[in-house]
Amino acid sequence: MDRLVQTTQELLNFRLNAAQRHAFEVYARELLDWNAHTNLTAITDPADIEMRHFVDSLSCLSVINPRQGALRVIDVGTGAGFPGIPIKIACPAIDLVLVEATVKKVRFLEHIAEQLGLEHVSIIHARAESLGQIADHREQYDWVLARAVAALPILAEYLLPLCRIGGHCLPQKGETAHQEVIEAQHAINLLGGKVIQLTPVELPTVVDTRYLVDIEKVASTPPKYPRRPGMPSKRPLG
Ligand code: SAH
């Protein structure tokens, strides 16, 4: 994990301590172990796990300021825990909710949260569309995260209903980020969001530029959104 510690320091000016470094070692080991029987990730080279999963997840910290006290953070479609769990390892004070629709991934999340002794993490087996209509979750979160879940016009309908007014959504995107923002402009406005900025992230050993799309929640989401599960992807808001 030398590379992880060094890159996190250089890229994010964030120093991981020995316990955090150990947590990432356990995480990588368990991910690979479980991946032998449960399909969790296509990335299996240890150096790639460090860079493409761990550092890429931690790159959100170049926009989120974790020193703002106990932030409520939700990661939608977290899969094997990205970006939520690396951020929780680095910033233990956050309150983290992980949302995942696939039960076998939920089982892994429960396992890894226990192995790492993570506190103030709740793991929810649900679809984002359902959660967005539940009062305990609707417009409750300071930061709403998602990586590799859906195209932005669809993703906006998953994320913005969960975000409190004044909070932010921070989807992680690849080279298509600018184009997706243009295509999602109407959906983002309709749902109460406003694009603040796109922050490029250059990861060592990764050729493509990654982008953090910072969307502020400036107005309440109309009650009819999100529509029922499946509808946002079937009929994306044009
Ligand atoms: N964020 C992780 C996983 C990406 S794969 C990563 O970057 O590695 C996308 C994940 O989102 C899958 O595990 C899928 O089950 C989940 N997902 C897709 N649509 C969803 C929805 N509407 N609600 C909740 N989870 C969803």
Side-chain angles (χ1 to χ4, degrees):
M1 294 288 146
D2 289 346
R3 193 76 197 261
L4 171 69
V5 172
Q6 190 190 339
T7 313
T8 305
Q9 171 83 55
E10 286 167 3
L11 200 73
L12 303 165
N13 198 19
F14 195 101
R15 192 183 293 272
L16 295 168
N17 64 29
Q20 289 166 326
R21 181 195 158 114
H22 177 69
F24 280 109
E25 277 164 9
V26 172
Y27 194 2
R29 188 189 69 211
E30 294 298 313
L31 184 64
L32 286 174
D33 263 17
W34 274 58
N35 210 44
H37 56 80
T38 302
N39 185 18
L40 295 170
T41 177
I43 296 170
T44 53
D45 176 66
D48 282 345
I49 290 179
E50 275 183 68
M51 206 55 71
R52 292 173 182 269
H53 282 326
F54 297 165
V55 180
D56 189 49
S57 295
L58 292 172
S59 73
C60 294
L61 294 173
S62 62
V63 176
I64 301 173
N65 181 356
R67 289 167 198 88
Q68 288 164 345
L71 292 174
R72 295 195 75 190
V73 178
I74 188 166
D75 180 8
V76 173
T78 187
F82 305 115
I85 291 181
I87 292 171
K88 176 69 185 175
I89 293 171
C91 309
I94 65 168
D95 248 331
L96 177 65
V97 175
L98 300 169
V99 184
E100 175 48 52
T102 306
V103 72
K104 62 182 185 174
K105 295 182 180 174
V106 169
R107 295 290 166 259
F108 174 74
L109 294 168
E110 290 165 349
H111 169 76
I112 197 66
E114 207 220 299
Q115 287 275 310
L116 298 176
L118 301 180
E119 290 172 359
H120 304 291
V121 172
S122 77
I123 296 161
I124 304 181
H125 178 215
R127 289 193 61 102
E129 301 94 309
S130 309
L131 222 56
Q133 290 293 359
I134 295 173
D136 277 357
H137 298 283
R138 187 177 175 89
E139 304 200 320
Q140 295 297 313
Y141 295 93
D142 299 304
W143 288 94
V144 185
L145 311 179
R147 188 184 79 158
V149 175
L152 202 51
I154 301 165
L155 198 55
E157 193 170 348
Y158 295 163
L159 305 187
L160 277 161
L162 295 163
C163 192
R164 71 165 172 85
I165 294 177
H168 295 249
C169 301
L170 194 68
Q172 292 184 261
K173 286 285 167 189
E175 298 278 2
T176 58
H178 292 88
Q179 188 58 36
E180 288 190 50
V181 166
I182 292 168
E183 285 162 8
Q185 202 60 67
H186 172 71
I188 291 169
N189 289 342
L190 182 66
L191 298 164
K194 182 184 173 195
V195 177
I196 302 295
Q197 65 173 352
L198 278 71
T199 304
V201 177
E202 308 285 353
L203 299 175
T205 74
V206 177
V207 175
D208 292 352
T209 305
R210 319 261 308 129
Y211 294 89
L212 302 165
V213 182
D214 185 357
I215 305 170
E216 188 179 347
K217 180 81 170 261
V218 292
S220 217
T221 299
K224 73 182 219 196
Y225 303 109
R227 291 165 291 167
R228 61 184 166 78
M231 282 301 287
S233 59
K234 194 170 166 199
R235 294 211 189 94
L237 294 170

PDB file of all heavy atoms in Angstrom, residues 151-154 156 171 173-190 193-198 211 213-215 236-238:
ATOM      1  N   ALA A 151     -25.863   6.932 -16.696  1.00  0.00           N
ATOM      2  CA  ALA A 151     -25.607   8.210 -17.378  1.00  0.00           C
ATOM      3  C   ALA A 151     -26.257   9.337 -16.569  1.00  0.00           C
ATOM      4  O   ALA A 151     -27.264   9.124 -15.886  1.00  0.00           O
ATOM      5  CB  ALA A 151     -26.178   8.172 -18.791  1.00  0.00           C
ATOM      6  N   LEU A 152     -25.683  10.523 -16.665  1.00  0.00           N
ATOM      7  CA  LEU A 152     -26.074  11.616 -15.780  1.00  0.00           C
ATOM      8  C   LEU A 152     -27.569  11.998 -15.822  1.00  0.00           C
ATOM      9  O   LEU A 152     -28.133  12.304 -14.768  1.00  0.00           O
ATOM     10  CB  LEU A 152     -25.183  12.840 -16.039  1.00  0.00           C
ATOM     11  CG  LEU A 152     -25.072  13.858 -14.910  1.00  0.00           C
ATOM     12  CD1 LEU A 152     -24.718  13.225 -13.570  1.00  0.00           C
ATOM     13  CD2 LEU A 152     -24.071  14.932 -15.274  1.00  0.00           C
ATOM     14  N   PRO A 153     -28.249  11.961 -16.992  1.00  0.00           N
ATOM     15  CA  PRO A 153     -29.680  12.309 -16.964  1.00  0.00           C
ATOM     16  C   PRO A 153     -30.484  11.338 -16.080  1.00  0.00           C
ATOM     17  O   PRO A 153     -31.461  11.740 -15.449  1.00  0.00           O
ATOM     18  CB  PRO A 153     -30.098  12.192 -18.442  1.00  0.00           C
ATOM     19  CG  PRO A 153     -28.826  12.382 -19.215  1.00  0.00           C
ATOM     20  CD  PRO A 153     -27.754  11.765 -18.362  1.00  0.00           C
ATOM     21  N   ILE A 154     -30.046  10.096 -16.010  1.00  0.00           N
ATOM     22  CA  ILE A 154     -30.703   9.090 -15.163  1.00  0.00           C
ATOM     23  C   ILE A 154     -30.231   9.251 -13.717  1.00  0.00           C
ATOM     24  O   ILE A 154     -31.022   9.278 -12.768  1.00  0.00           O
ATOM     25  CB  ILE A 154     -30.360   7.670 -15.674  1.00  0.00           C
ATOM     26  CG1 ILE A 154     -30.816   7.502 -17.124  1.00  0.00           C
ATOM     27  CG2 ILE A 154     -30.945   6.591 -14.763  1.00  0.00           C
ATOM     28  CD1 ILE A 154     -30.214   6.279 -17.826  1.00  0.00           C
ATOM     29  N   ALA A 156     -29.115  11.779 -12.172  1.00  0.00           N
ATOM     30  CA  ALA A 156     -29.641  12.975 -11.501  1.00  0.00           C
ATOM     31  C   ALA A 156     -30.940  12.639 -10.762  1.00  0.00           C
ATOM     32  O   ALA A 156     -31.181  13.125  -9.656  1.00  0.00           O
ATOM     33  CB  ALA A 156     -29.890  14.077 -12.530  1.00  0.00           C
ATOM     34  N   PRO A 171     -21.294  13.070  -8.515  1.00  0.00           N
ATOM     35  CA  PRO A 171     -21.028  11.887  -9.331  1.00  0.00           C
ATOM     36  C   PRO A 171     -19.623  11.928  -9.921  1.00  0.00           C
ATOM     37  O   PRO A 171     -19.126  12.994 -10.300  1.00  0.00           O
ATOM     38  CB  PRO A 171     -22.101  11.947 -10.431  1.00  0.00           C
ATOM     39  CG  PRO A 171     -22.594  13.351 -10.429  1.00  0.00           C
ATOM     40  CD  PRO A 171     -22.366  13.903  -9.051  1.00  0.00           C
ATOM     41  N   LYS A 173     -17.246  10.850 -12.932  1.00  0.00           N
ATOM     42  CA  LYS A 173     -17.448  10.547 -14.352  1.00  0.00           C
ATOM     43  C   LYS A 173     -16.117  10.440 -15.084  1.00  0.00           C
ATOM     44  O   LYS A 173     -15.091  10.909 -14.603  1.00  0.00           O
ATOM     45  CB  LYS A 173     -18.300  11.664 -14.971  1.00  0.00           C
ATOM     46  CG  LYS A 173     -19.773  11.592 -14.548  1.00  0.00           C
ATOM     47  CD  LYS A 173     -20.439  10.466 -15.298  1.00  0.00           C
ATOM     48  CE  LYS A 173     -21.786  10.074 -14.766  1.00  0.00           C
ATOM     49  NZ  LYS A 173     -22.258   8.835 -15.406  1.00  0.00           N
ATOM     50  N   GLY A 174     -16.170   9.855 -16.280  1.00  0.00           N
ATOM     51  CA  GLY A 174     -14.981   9.718 -17.109  1.00  0.00           C
ATOM     52  C   GLY A 174     -14.933  10.801 -18.179  1.00  0.00           C
ATOM     53  O   GLY A 174     -15.436  11.916 -17.983  1.00  0.00           O
ATOM     54  N   GLU A 175     -14.358  10.458 -19.308  1.00  0.00           N
ATOM     55  CA  GLU A 175     -14.116  11.438 -20.380  1.00  0.00           C
ATOM     56  C   GLU A 175     -15.401  12.054 -20.939  1.00  0.00           C
ATOM     57  O   GLU A 175     -15.359  13.100 -21.584  1.00  0.00           O
ATOM     58  CB  GLU A 175     -13.324  10.778 -21.524  1.00  0.00           C
ATOM     59  CG  GLU A 175     -11.943  10.265 -21.121  1.00  0.00           C
ATOM     60  CD  GLU A 175     -10.872  11.350 -21.104  1.00  0.00           C
ATOM     61  OE1 GLU A 175     -11.184  12.523 -21.374  1.00  0.00           O
ATOM     62  OE2 GLU A 175      -9.713  11.017 -20.804  1.00  0.00           O
ATOM     63  N   THR A 176     -16.547  11.415 -20.730  1.00  0.00           N
ATOM     64  CA  THR A 176     -17.807  11.928 -21.278  1.00  0.00           C
ATOM     65  C   THR A 176     -18.476  12.944 -20.350  1.00  0.00           C
ATOM     66  O   THR A 176     -19.607  13.375 -20.611  1.00  0.00           O
ATOM     67  CB  THR A 176     -18.803  10.776 -21.524  1.00  0.00           C
ATOM     68  OG1 THR A 176     -19.019  10.106 -20.258  1.00  0.00           O
ATOM     69  CG2 THR A 176     -18.281   9.766 -22.526  1.00  0.00           C
ATOM     70  N   ALA A 177     -17.793  13.323 -19.261  1.00  0.00           N
ATOM     71  CA  ALA A 177     -18.427  14.162 -18.240  1.00  0.00           C
ATOM     72  C   ALA A 177     -19.094  15.427 -18.805  1.00  0.00           C
ATOM     73  O   ALA A 177     -20.267  15.694 -18.515  1.00  0.00           O
ATOM     74  CB  ALA A 177     -17.393  14.544 -17.176  1.00  0.00           C
ATOM     75  N   HIS A 178     -18.346  16.177 -19.636  1.00  0.00           N
ATOM     76  CA  HIS A 178     -18.906  17.456 -20.117  1.00  0.00           C
ATOM     77  C   HIS A 178     -20.153  17.219 -20.966  1.00  0.00           C
ATOM     78  O   HIS A 178     -21.160  17.915 -20.836  1.00  0.00           O
ATOM     79  CB  HIS A 178     -17.858  18.243 -20.910  1.00  0.00           C
ATOM     80  CG  HIS A 178     -16.727  18.732 -20.060  1.00  0.00           C
ATOM     81  ND1 HIS A 178     -15.601  17.976 -19.823  1.00  0.00           N
ATOM     82  CD2 HIS A 178     -16.568  19.879 -19.362  1.00  0.00           C
ATOM     83  CE1 HIS A 178     -14.786  18.649 -19.019  1.00  0.00           C
ATOM     84  NE2 HIS A 178     -15.346  19.801 -18.727  1.00  0.00           N
ATOM     85  N   GLN A 179     -20.070  16.212 -21.826  1.00  0.00           N
ATOM     86  CA  GLN A 179     -21.208  15.892 -22.676  1.00  0.00           C
ATOM     87  C   GLN A 179     -22.420  15.449 -21.842  1.00  0.00           C
ATOM     88  O   GLN A 179     -23.560  15.852 -22.089  1.00  0.00           O
ATOM     89  CB  GLN A 179     -20.794  14.774 -23.652  1.00  0.00           C
ATOM     90  CG  GLN A 179     -21.817  14.460 -24.725  1.00  0.00           C
ATOM     91  CD  GLN A 179     -22.144  15.690 -25.571  1.00  0.00           C
ATOM     92  OE1 GLN A 179     -21.275  16.525 -25.853  1.00  0.00           O
ATOM     93  NE2 GLN A 179     -23.415  15.830 -25.957  1.00  0.00           N
ATOM     94  N   GLU A 180     -22.170  14.635 -20.833  1.00  0.00           N
ATOM     95  CA  GLU A 180     -23.264  14.170 -19.965  1.00  0.00           C
ATOM     96  C   GLU A 180     -23.919  15.328 -19.214  1.00  0.00           C
ATOM     97  O   GLU A 180     -25.133  15.346 -19.007  1.00  0.00           O
ATOM     98  CB  GLU A 180     -22.758  13.122 -18.968  1.00  0.00           C
ATOM     99  CG  GLU A 180     -22.437  11.791 -19.623  1.00  0.00           C
ATOM    100  CD  GLU A 180     -22.180  10.679 -18.597  1.00  0.00           C
ATOM    101  OE1 GLU A 180     -22.992  10.490 -17.674  1.00  0.00           O
ATOM    102  OE2 GLU A 180     -21.142  10.007 -18.721  1.00  0.00           O
ATOM    103  N   VAL A 181     -23.091  16.291 -18.810  1.00  0.00           N
ATOM    104  CA  VAL A 181     -23.646  17.461 -18.110  1.00  0.00           C
ATOM    105  C   VAL A 181     -24.589  18.225 -19.043  1.00  0.00           C
ATOM    106  O   VAL A 181     -25.677  18.640 -18.645  1.00  0.00           O
ATOM    107  CB  VAL A 181     -22.516  18.379 -17.580  1.00  0.00           C
ATOM    108  CG1 VAL A 181     -23.059  19.747 -17.174  1.00  0.00           C
ATOM    109  CG2 VAL A 181     -21.817  17.714 -16.397  1.00  0.00           C
ATOM    110  N   ILE A 182     -24.192  18.370 -20.300  1.00  0.00           N
ATOM    111  CA  ILE A 182     -25.057  19.067 -21.269  1.00  0.00           C
ATOM    112  C   ILE A 182     -26.366  18.296 -21.433  1.00  0.00           C
ATOM    113  O   ILE A 182     -27.454  18.858 -21.367  1.00  0.00           O
ATOM    114  CB  ILE A 182     -24.326  19.223 -22.632  1.00  0.00           C
ATOM    115  CG1 ILE A 182     -23.155  20.193 -22.476  1.00  0.00           C
ATOM    116  CG2 ILE A 182     -25.282  19.690 -23.721  1.00  0.00           C
ATOM    117  CD1 ILE A 182     -22.184  20.211 -23.654  1.00  0.00           C
ATOM    118  N   GLU A 183     -26.247  16.987 -21.574  1.00  0.00           N
ATOM    119  CA  GLU A 183     -27.452  16.170 -21.784  1.00  0.00           C
ATOM    120  C   GLU A 183     -28.355  16.134 -20.552  1.00  0.00           C
ATOM    121  O   GLU A 183     -29.560  15.912 -20.657  1.00  0.00           O
ATOM    122  CB  GLU A 183     -27.048  14.748 -22.197  1.00  0.00           C
ATOM    123  CG  GLU A 183     -26.577  14.703 -23.652  1.00  0.00           C
ATOM    124  CD  GLU A 183     -25.774  13.456 -23.994  1.00  0.00           C
ATOM    125  OE1 GLU A 183     -25.715  12.541 -23.138  1.00  0.00           O
ATOM    126  OE2 GLU A 183     -25.214  13.411 -25.104  1.00  0.00           O
ATOM    127  N   ALA A 184     -27.767  16.331 -19.373  1.00  0.00           N
ATOM    128  CA  ALA A 184     -28.547  16.239 -18.135  1.00  0.00           C
ATOM    129  C   ALA A 184     -29.031  17.601 -17.639  1.00  0.00           C
ATOM    130  O   ALA A 184     -29.697  17.683 -16.607  1.00  0.00           O
ATOM    131  CB  ALA A 184     -27.699  15.581 -17.048  1.00  0.00           C
ATOM    132  N   GLN A 185     -28.701  18.662 -18.379  1.00  0.00           N
ATOM    133  CA  GLN A 185     -28.988  20.011 -17.870  1.00  0.00           C
ATOM    134  C   GLN A 185     -30.451  20.196 -17.486  1.00  0.00           C
ATOM    135  O   GLN A 185     -30.769  20.705 -16.413  1.00  0.00           O
ATOM    136  CB  GLN A 185     -28.586  21.047 -18.935  1.00  0.00           C
ATOM    137  CG  GLN A 185     -28.340  22.430 -18.371  1.00  0.00           C
ATOM    138  CD  GLN A 185     -27.213  22.458 -17.335  1.00  0.00           C
ATOM    139  OE1 GLN A 185     -26.062  22.234 -17.668  1.00  0.00           O
ATOM    140  NE2 GLN A 185     -27.536  22.700 -16.073  1.00  0.00           N
ATOM    141  N   HIS A 186     -31.345  19.757 -18.359  1.00  0.00           N
ATOM    142  CA  HIS A 186     -32.778  19.926 -18.089  1.00  0.00           C
ATOM    143  C   HIS A 186     -33.196  19.136 -16.849  1.00  0.00           C
ATOM    144  O   HIS A 186     -33.891  19.655 -15.969  1.00  0.00           O
ATOM    145  CB  HIS A 186     -33.597  19.483 -19.309  1.00  0.00           C
ATOM    146  CG  HIS A 186     -35.065  19.450 -19.042  1.00  0.00           C
ATOM    147  ND1 HIS A 186     -35.817  20.587 -18.889  1.00  0.00           N
ATOM    148  CD2 HIS A 186     -35.914  18.404 -18.832  1.00  0.00           C
ATOM    149  CE1 HIS A 186     -37.073  20.250 -18.618  1.00  0.00           C
ATOM    150  NE2 HIS A 186     -37.155  18.932 -18.583  1.00  0.00           N
ATOM    151  N   ALA A 187     -32.753  17.883 -16.774  1.00  0.00           N
ATOM    152  CA  ALA A 187     -33.106  17.029 -15.628  1.00  0.00           C
ATOM    153  C   ALA A 187     -32.586  17.651 -14.329  1.00  0.00           C
ATOM    154  O   ALA A 187     -33.310  17.709 -13.326  1.00  0.00           O
ATOM    155  CB  ALA A 187     -32.519  15.628 -15.811  1.00  0.00           C
ATOM    156  N   ILE A 188     -31.357  18.130 -14.353  1.00  0.00           N
ATOM    157  CA  ILE A 188     -30.754  18.710 -13.139  1.00  0.00           C
ATOM    158  C   ILE A 188     -31.548  19.929 -12.678  1.00  0.00           C
ATOM    159  O   ILE A 188     -31.885  20.049 -11.492  1.00  0.00           O
ATOM    160  CB  ILE A 188     -29.264  19.045 -13.400  1.00  0.00           C
ATOM    161  CG1 ILE A 188     -28.453  17.746 -13.551  1.00  0.00           C
ATOM    162  CG2 ILE A 188     -28.682  19.893 -12.261  1.00  0.00           C
ATOM    163  CD1 ILE A 188     -27.021  17.929 -14.061  1.00  0.00           C
ATOM    164  N   ASN A 189     -31.909  20.812 -13.608  1.00  0.00           N
ATOM    165  CA  ASN A 189     -32.719  21.991 -13.250  1.00  0.00           C
ATOM    166  C   ASN A 189     -34.060  21.586 -12.666  1.00  0.00           C
ATOM    167  O   ASN A 189     -34.487  22.091 -11.634  1.00  0.00           O
ATOM    168  CB  ASN A 189     -32.989  22.873 -14.487  1.00  0.00           C
ATOM    169  CG  ASN A 189     -31.741  23.580 -14.956  1.00  0.00           C
ATOM    170  OD1 ASN A 189     -30.778  23.700 -14.206  1.00  0.00           O
ATOM    171  ND2 ASN A 189     -31.755  24.027 -16.202  1.00  0.00           N
ATOM    172  N   LEU A 190     -34.710  20.670 -13.351  1.00  0.00           N
ATOM    173  CA  LEU A 190     -36.049  20.224 -12.937  1.00  0.00           C
ATOM    174  C   LEU A 190     -36.041  19.658 -11.515  1.00  0.00           C
ATOM    175  O   LEU A 190     -36.976  19.826 -10.746  1.00  0.00           O
ATOM    176  CB  LEU A 190     -36.507  19.148 -13.936  1.00  0.00           C
ATOM    177  CG  LEU A 190     -37.885  18.526 -13.779  1.00  0.00           C
ATOM    178  CD1 LEU A 190     -38.960  19.574 -14.037  1.00  0.00           C
ATOM    179  CD2 LEU A 190     -38.049  17.360 -14.758  1.00  0.00           C
ATOM    180  N   GLY A 193     -31.298  21.021  -8.958  1.00  0.00           N
ATOM    181  CA  GLY A 193     -29.839  21.071  -8.896  1.00  0.00           C
ATOM    182  C   GLY A 193     -29.249  22.171  -9.754  1.00  0.00           C
ATOM    183  O   GLY A 193     -29.913  22.724 -10.630  1.00  0.00           O
ATOM    184  N   LYS A 194     -27.995  22.486  -9.482  1.00  0.00           N
ATOM    185  CA  LYS A 194     -27.255  23.460 -10.286  1.00  0.00           C
ATOM    186  C   LYS A 194     -25.806  22.995 -10.369  1.00  0.00           C
ATOM    187  O   LYS A 194     -25.171  22.757  -9.328  1.00  0.00           O
ATOM    188  CB  LYS A 194     -27.322  24.817  -9.587  1.00  0.00           C
ATOM    189  CG  LYS A 194     -26.645  25.916 -10.345  1.00  0.00           C
ATOM    190  CD  LYS A 194     -26.673  27.205  -9.551  1.00  0.00           C
ATOM    191  CE  LYS A 194     -25.821  28.241 -10.270  1.00  0.00           C
ATOM    192  NZ  LYS A 194     -25.511  29.378  -9.420  1.00  0.00           N
ATOM    193  N   VAL A 195     -25.291  22.867 -11.574  1.00  0.00           N
ATOM    194  CA  VAL A 195     -23.904  22.413 -11.730  1.00  0.00           C
ATOM    195  C   VAL A 195     -22.967  23.533 -11.322  1.00  0.00           C
ATOM    196  O   VAL A 195     -23.056  24.650 -11.845  1.00  0.00           O
ATOM    197  CB  VAL A 195     -23.617  21.965 -13.186  1.00  0.00           C
ATOM    198  CG1 VAL A 195     -22.149  21.574 -13.349  1.00  0.00           C
ATOM    199  CG2 VAL A 195     -24.530  20.806 -13.572  1.00  0.00           C
ATOM    200  N   ILE A 196     -22.089  23.238 -10.363  1.00  0.00           N
ATOM    201  CA  ILE A 196     -21.154  24.247  -9.859  1.00  0.00           C
ATOM    202  C   ILE A 196     -19.845  24.178 -10.643  1.00  0.00           C
ATOM    203  O   ILE A 196     -19.360  25.173 -11.141  1.00  0.00           O
ATOM    204  CB  ILE A 196     -20.863  24.036  -8.348  1.00  0.00           C
ATOM    205  CG1 ILE A 196     -22.157  24.083  -7.549  1.00  0.00           C
ATOM    206  CG2 ILE A 196     -19.849  25.050  -7.833  1.00  0.00           C
ATOM    207  CD1 ILE A 196     -22.853  25.422  -7.570  1.00  0.00           C
ATOM    208  N   GLN A 197     -19.253  22.999 -10.705  1.00  0.00           N
ATOM    209  CA  GLN A 197     -18.026  22.855 -11.485  1.00  0.00           C
ATOM    210  C   GLN A 197     -17.649  21.397 -11.710  1.00  0.00           C
ATOM    211  O   GLN A 197     -18.131  20.507 -11.008  1.00  0.00           O
ATOM    212  CB  GLN A 197     -16.858  23.586 -10.824  1.00  0.00           C
ATOM    213  CG  GLN A 197     -16.476  23.001  -9.486  1.00  0.00           C
ATOM    214  CD  GLN A 197     -15.196  23.638  -8.936  1.00  0.00           C
ATOM    215  OE1 GLN A 197     -14.531  24.408  -9.611  1.00  0.00           O
ATOM    216  NE2 GLN A 197     -14.850  23.307  -7.708  1.00  0.00           N
ATOM    217  N   LEU A 198     -16.797  21.184 -12.719  1.00  0.00           N
ATOM    218  CA  LEU A 198     -16.231  19.867 -12.978  1.00  0.00           C
ATOM    219  C   LEU A 198     -14.761  19.914 -12.593  1.00  0.00           C
ATOM    220  O   LEU A 198     -14.013  20.748 -13.102  1.00  0.00           O
ATOM    221  CB  LEU A 198     -16.357  19.490 -14.461  1.00  0.00           C
ATOM    222  CG  LEU A 198     -17.715  18.913 -14.891  1.00  0.00           C
ATOM    223  CD1 LEU A 198     -18.782  19.993 -14.881  1.00  0.00           C
ATOM    224  CD2 LEU A 198     -17.607  18.284 -16.269  1.00  0.00           C
ATOM    225  N   TYR A 211     -13.499  12.960 -13.819  1.00  0.00           N
ATOM    226  CA  TYR A 211     -14.096  14.242 -13.425  1.00  0.00           C
ATOM    227  C   TYR A 211     -15.043  14.064 -12.257  1.00  0.00           C
ATOM    228  O   TYR A 211     -15.838  13.114 -12.222  1.00  0.00           O
ATOM    229  CB  TYR A 211     -14.872  14.854 -14.599  1.00  0.00           C
ATOM    230  CG  TYR A 211     -13.985  15.260 -15.745  1.00  0.00           C
ATOM    231  CD1 TYR A 211     -13.665  14.357 -16.759  1.00  0.00           C
ATOM    232  CD2 TYR A 211     -13.422  16.540 -15.796  1.00  0.00           C
ATOM    233  CE1 TYR A 211     -12.819  14.712 -17.805  1.00  0.00           C
ATOM    234  CE2 TYR A 211     -12.579  16.903 -16.833  1.00  0.00           C
ATOM    235  CZ  TYR A 211     -12.285  15.987 -17.838  1.00  0.00           C
ATOM    236  OH  TYR A 211     -11.444  16.345 -18.855  1.00  0.00           O
ATOM    237  N   VAL A 213     -18.170  15.784 -10.733  1.00  0.00           N
ATOM    238  CA  VAL A 213     -19.194  16.743 -11.152  1.00  0.00           C
ATOM    239  C   VAL A 213     -19.922  17.248  -9.899  1.00  0.00           C
ATOM    240  O   VAL A 213     -20.689  16.511  -9.285  1.00  0.00           O
ATOM    241  CB  VAL A 213     -20.196  16.099 -12.131  1.00  0.00           C
ATOM    242  CG1 VAL A 213     -21.220  17.137 -12.601  1.00  0.00           C
ATOM    243  CG2 VAL A 213     -19.474  15.476 -13.328  1.00  0.00           C
ATOM    244  N   ASP A 214     -19.639  18.486  -9.536  1.00  0.00           N
ATOM    245  CA  ASP A 214     -20.215  19.056  -8.312  1.00  0.00           C
ATOM    246  C   ASP A 214     -21.547  19.719  -8.654  1.00  0.00           C
ATOM    247  O   ASP A 214     -21.585  20.715  -9.393  1.00  0.00           O
ATOM    248  CB  ASP A 214     -19.218  20.068  -7.720  1.00  0.00           C
ATOM    249  CG  ASP A 214     -19.682  20.615  -6.373  1.00  0.00           C
ATOM    250  OD1 ASP A 214     -20.798  20.266  -5.906  1.00  0.00           O
ATOM    251  OD2 ASP A 214     -18.917  21.406  -5.778  1.00  0.00           O
ATOM    252  N   ILE A 215     -22.624  19.157  -8.127  1.00  0.00           N
ATOM    253  CA  ILE A 215     -23.968  19.696  -8.376  1.00  0.00           C
ATOM    254  C   ILE A 215     -24.561  20.124  -7.033  1.00  0.00           C
ATOM    255  O   ILE A 215     -24.728  19.296  -6.140  1.00  0.00           O
ATOM    256  CB  ILE A 215     -24.893  18.625  -9.010  1.00  0.00           C
ATOM    257  CG1 ILE A 215     -24.261  18.048 -10.283  1.00  0.00           C
ATOM    258  CG2 ILE A 215     -26.281  19.205  -9.291  1.00  0.00           C
ATOM    259  CD1 ILE A 215     -24.993  16.811 -10.837  1.00  0.00           C
ATOM    260  N   PRO A 236     -35.484   8.390 -19.443  1.00  0.00           N
ATOM    261  CA  PRO A 236     -34.686   9.451 -18.816  1.00  0.00           C
ATOM    262  C   PRO A 236     -35.320  10.822 -19.043  1.00  0.00           C
ATOM    263  O   PRO A 236     -35.862  11.078 -20.123  1.00  0.00           O
ATOM    264  CB  PRO A 236     -33.343   9.352 -19.542  1.00  0.00           C
ATOM    265  CG  PRO A 236     -33.308   7.972 -20.123  1.00  0.00           C
ATOM    266  CD  PRO A 236     -34.731   7.591 -20.420  1.00  0.00           C
ATOM    267  N   LEU A 237     -35.252  11.664 -18.024  1.00  0.00           N
ATOM    268  CA  LEU A 237     -35.779  13.018 -18.149  1.00  0.00           C
ATOM    269  C   LEU A 237     -34.977  13.717 -19.247  1.00  0.00           C
ATOM    270  O   LEU A 237     -33.768  13.818 -19.165  1.00  0.00           O
ATOM    271  CB  LEU A 237     -35.616  13.772 -16.828  1.00  0.00           C
ATOM    272  CG  LEU A 237     -36.442  13.226 -15.649  1.00  0.00           C
ATOM    273  CD1 LEU A 237     -36.024  13.885 -14.353  1.00  0.00           C
ATOM    274  CD2 LEU A 237     -37.923  13.387 -15.903  1.00  0.00           C
ATOM    275  N   GLY A 238     -35.696  14.160 -20.293  1.00  0.00           N
ATOM    276  CA  GLY A 238     -34.997  14.785 -21.423  1.00  0.00           C
ATOM    277  C   GLY A 238     -34.769  16.198 -21.103  1.00  0.00           C
ATOM    278  O   GLY A 238     -34.597  17.132 -21.586  1.00  0.00           O
TER     279      GLY A 238
END
